[in-house]
């Protein structure tokens, strides 16, 4: 039977927020089963993952998370199970200058991994609950445990690795028709959280996202949950909806706010927003035209282009 933490997570291949690792570890710990959390502590050269990337391994070899592109995971699982049997963790190097000469990384680099055995369920619960509420948090990992940390960033301090967790990237996409449907489907398929917002029931049905908001009128908007880890994208070809939604979005702490349309459309949109009292400082935050592919008229290409634009603006690491 799965723990609530696992039930509430969407299926993803790789979750950069680390919530999948915390959920798996928490489920095992609260069931009285030992786990080892493995953290990428240092990189000598290049790596497909950043410092702080994690895996969690159960005593029977089940795991969640990712530290390499598949070249180390089997060895990591074996080493984690060995450390669980011994009851103590530690640092292990793989690749360049490693004692494991049969494990050569294709990139020629070396990585130092911290194996933490039997982390505190209380610390894991605290971090997971914070992420679930979309709050940033941190844990300090050492060979024999983990604790809550007040540190502001991911960094190695002696034998302690502080891992900062930030909520997953969320996209609040508003519009009608194929552009919204395709952006929602592509983003959700890539593992990102998506909230589709539209006055059109068919568009919402086709968006295939769990989070949906039906708009009733431009004069009566429902509350839109926008935090620092949310991107707001407007895909309307209707200035009334733009002027209705954008003032509240620009007043919120979203890391990205953009609206579809040409340069001429964007200039007219800015003027309309000035007329309803939006400040110049807030207008500077509005991206337009949006997307990395200029002037595309293909809804599929636009969806990919806009998603890439959002990811390029994400300030918390990929």
């Amino acid at each position: 039977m799965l723990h609530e933490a696992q039930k509430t997570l969407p299926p993803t291949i790789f979750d950069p927020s680390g919530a999948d690792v915390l959920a798996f570890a928490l489920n095992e710990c609260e069931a009285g089963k030992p786990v080892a959390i493995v953290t990428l502590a240092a990189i000598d050269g290049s790596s497909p993952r950043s410092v702080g990337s994690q895996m969690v391994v159960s005593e029977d070899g089940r795991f969640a998370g990712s530290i390499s592109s598949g070249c180390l995971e089997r060895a990591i699982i074996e080493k984690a199970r060995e450390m669980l049997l011994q009851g103590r963790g530690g640092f292990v190097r793989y690749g360049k200058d490693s004692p494991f000469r049969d494990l050569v990384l294709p990139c020629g680099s070396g990585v130092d991994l911290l194996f933490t055995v039997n982390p505190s369920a209380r610390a894991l619960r605290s971090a997971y609950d914070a992420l679930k509420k979309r709050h940033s948090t941190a844990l300090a990992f050492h060979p024999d445990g983990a604790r809550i940390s007040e540190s502001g960033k991911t960094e190695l301090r002696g034998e302690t690795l502080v891992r900062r967790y930030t909520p997953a990237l969320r996209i609040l996409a508003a519009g009608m028709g194929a552009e919204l449907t395709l952006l929602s489907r592509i983003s959700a398929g890539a593992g990102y959280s998506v909230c589709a917002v539209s006055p059109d029931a068919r568009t919402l049905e086709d968006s295939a996202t769990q989070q949906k908001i039906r708009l009733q009128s431009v004069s009566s908007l429902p509350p839109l949950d926008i935090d620092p880890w949310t991107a707001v994208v407007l895909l309307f070809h209707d200035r009334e909806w733009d002027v209705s939604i954008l003032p509240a979005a620009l007043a919120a702490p979203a890391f990205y706010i953009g609206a579809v349309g040409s340069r001429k459309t964007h200039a007219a949109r800015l003027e309309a927003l000035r007329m309803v009292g939006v400040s110049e400082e807030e207008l500077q935050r509005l991206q337009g035209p949006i997307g990395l592919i200029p002037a595309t008229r293909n809804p599929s290409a636009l969806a990919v282009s806009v998603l890439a634009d959002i990811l390029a603006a994400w300030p918390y690491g990929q």
Side-chain angles (χ1 to χ4, degrees):
M1 183 174 181
L2 290 178
H3 191 282
E4 179 191 1
Q6 286 182 294
K7 291 179 182 178
T8 56
L9 284 172
T12 58
I13 296 173
F14 174 67
D15 182 355
S17 76
D20 58 339
V21 167
L22 292 175
F24 186 99
L26 183 58
N27 182 67
E28 295 295 295
C29 288
E30 292 189 345
K33 301 175 183 177
V35 296
I37 293 182
V38 189
T39 310
L40 179 53
I43 302 168
D44 183 0
S46 62
S47 169
R49 300 283 185 267
S50 58
V51 169
S53 296
Q54 292 183 311
M55 286 177 61
V56 57
V57 182
S58 67
E59 61 180 346
D60 60 7
R62 291 174 296 113
F63 73 99
S66 172
I67 283 182
S68 75
S69 291
C71 48
L72 283 181
E73 270 71 10
R74 181 175 296 179
I76 291 171
I77 292 168
E78 292 176 357
K79 191 64 178 178
R81 295 181 72 186
E82 176 187 321
M83 288 190 171
L84 281 171
L85 286 173
Q86 295 172 349
R88 63 177 184 274
F91 287 85
V92 178
R93 168 164 280 228
Y94 292 96
K96 180 184 176 183
D97 298 328
S98 167
F100 306 107
R101 299 188 180 275
D102 57 331
L103 285 172
V104 179
L105 300 184
C107 57
S109 301
V111 293
D112 295 315
L113 306 184
L114 169 59
F115 289 74
T116 299
V117 298
N118 299 321
S120 161
R122 179 182 177 186
L124 296 176
R125 167 57 69 186
S126 173
Y128 179 77
D129 285 349
L131 281 180
K132 190 175 179 181
K133 296 174 183 175
R134 294 190 65 79
H135 297 158
S136 182
T137 188
L139 293 176
F141 292 89
H142 50 91
D144 301 313
R147 67 179 187 277
I148 301 167
S149 173
E150 300 299 324
S151 174
K153 61 180 180 179
T154 296
E155 61 181 347
L156 181 63
R157 302 174 181 174
E159 289 198 343
T160 299
L161 190 286
V162 176
R163 207 301 193 174
R164 167 63 54 179
Y165 297 90
T166 56
L169 187 157
R170 177 174 178 264
I171 300 172
L172 192 151
M176 289 188 289
E179 286 89 348
L180 176 58
T181 296
L182 288 165
L183 177 61
S184 299
R185 285 178 174 269
I186 289 170
S187 301
Y192 299 107
S193 174
V194 183
C195 178
V197 182
S198 180
D200 182 59
R202 177 63 184 273
T203 297
L204 291 177
E205 181 181 350
D206 291 345
S207 68
T209 62
Q210 291 184 344
Q211 300 177 52
K212 302 176 184 181
I213 297 176
R214 177 78 182 273
L215 299 175
Q216 300 299 328
S217 72
V218 293
S219 61
S220 179
L221 288 180
L224 301 176
D225 186 15
I226 302 172
D227 60 29
W229 304 279
T230 297
V232 179
V233 183
L234 269 63
L235 300 166
F236 290 105
H237 296 279
D238 183 325
R239 196 170 303 160
E240 279 193 318
W241 281 115
D242 287 349
V243 175
S244 174
I245 295 173
L246 282 171
L250 290 167
F255 77 90
Y256 176 100
I257 305 172
V260 73
S262 65
R263 293 184 185 280
K264 182 178 179 180
T265 298
H266 185 63
R269 181 187 295 121
L270 292 176
E271 189 57 35
L273 290 168
R274 291 187 183 100
M275 295 293 290
V276 297
V278 178
S279 71
E280 292 299 320
E281 182 180 1
E282 289 175 327
L283 291 178
Q284 290 294 318
R285 300 180 60 213
L286 179 59
Q287 303 294 315
I290 57 174
L292 297 187
I293 305 172
T296 179
R297 298 178 185 274
N298 181 316
S300 296
L302 176 65
V304 174
S305 176
V306 170
L307 178 57
D309 203 18
I310 292 169
L311 294 178
W314 177 247
Y316 301 102
Q318 300 295 340

